[in-house]
Amino acid sequence: MILMKDIIREGHPTLRAKAKEMSFPLSAEDRQLCDDLLEYIVNSQDDVLSEKYGLRSGIGLAAPQVNASKRVFVLHIPDEDKPLENFIAINPKIVSHSVEKTYISTGEGCLSVDREVPGYVPRYARITVKAYDKEGKEIKMRLKGLAAIAFQHELDHLNGIMFYDHIDENAPFKDIPGAQPLDRE
């Protein structure tokens, strides 16, 4: 089981490296990695388990965050589009995106970042994505709102990009032209 101590923090070189494509059929080790990432995210959203194991809550986790430089991440967003419950994305890509942008009005957070980083993180408002499941079956779907933002955040991890790289450090809360904020409580 992945615990907070297993999640590497900003400054670790793996977080800045471009992760390697995974090949099918997945090895037993790679299948286990997928399951472990998903188990952490699901457990982190359970109040009893997160308290018991000291887990910070999250909606996504990428393999590089546990020091595995592989192109896989998981998302678990129960209140959004149903396809993103227990979602494993292997070798994911954005195949098209909207011109319109969005951002979370309260900013983004990350399990690999132990500090508040204020500012707007511009993201595409709508994306069409392609990925593979553990069996190597292609998944193609359209995402918007929190699901689209979370997918882009985790995909950035596979490319060595941190969310705060998108924030304008001189004007972190400057207006993003044509962007609609996404409010989260």
Side-chain angles (χ1 to χ4, degrees), residues 6-177:
D6 303 311
I7 296 175
I8 60 176
R9 303 308 202 280
E10 61 181 320
H12 193 290
T14 301
L15 291 173
R16 290 300 190 174
K18 187 168 167 79
K20 293 173 182 46
E21 291 269 322
M22 296 176 73
S23 54
F24 294 96
L26 294 182
S27 66
E29 176 189 328
D30 285 344
R31 293 177 76 81
Q32 188 63 53
L33 173 64
C34 293
D35 293 341
D36 290 346
L37 292 170
L38 189 58
E39 179 187 43
Y40 176 92
I41 287 302
V42 172
N43 288 349
S44 81
Q45 294 179 27
D46 180 302
D47 292 341
V48 173
L49 292 175
S50 66
E51 177 147 346
K52 179 178 179 181
Y53 296 109
L55 309 178
R56 264 181 49 209
S57 183
I59 58 172
L61 186 63
Q65 292 180 270
V66 294
N67 203 20
S69 193
K70 297 178 179 189
R71 294 191 75 78
V72 60
F73 65 75
V74 300
L75 293 170
H76 186 66
I77 310 175
D79 301 329
E80 288 280 318
D81 300 326
K82 290 293 181 213
L84 291 188
E85 284 190 39
N86 302 309
F87 181 70
I88 297 170
I90 298 169
N91 299 334
K93 291 179 173 50
I94 295 174
V95 293
S96 67
H97 60 78
S98 63
V99 172
E100 299 84 21
K101 299 277 182 104
T102 189
Y103 58 91
I104 298 175
S105 58
T106 55
E108 291 185 21
C110 180
L111 293 170
S112 292
V113 179
D114 292 331
R115 61 191 172 96
E116 286 282 318
V117 183
Y120 297 149
V121 180
R123 303 283 187 188
Y124 298 117
R126 292 176 310 285
I127 55 176
T128 300
V129 302
K130 193 166 76 170
Y132 296 89
D133 68 12
K134 287 193 320 185
E135 309 314 316
K137 183 174 156 258
E138 185 178 279
I139 304 158
K140 193 171 180 183
M141 65 176 78
R142 297 170 95 135
L143 303 173
K144 62 182 182 171
L146 182 60
I149 290 170
F151 191 100
Q152 291 169 83
H153 177 111
E154 298 308 328
L155 184 61
D156 274 353
H157 276 303
L158 306 186
N159 295 318
I161 299 167
M162 299 295 282
F163 75 92
Y164 49 75
D165 296 342
H166 297 288
I167 298 172
D168 183 332
E169 60 186 54
N170 297 318
F173 294 102
K174 82 173 185 192
D175 191 46
I176 300 166

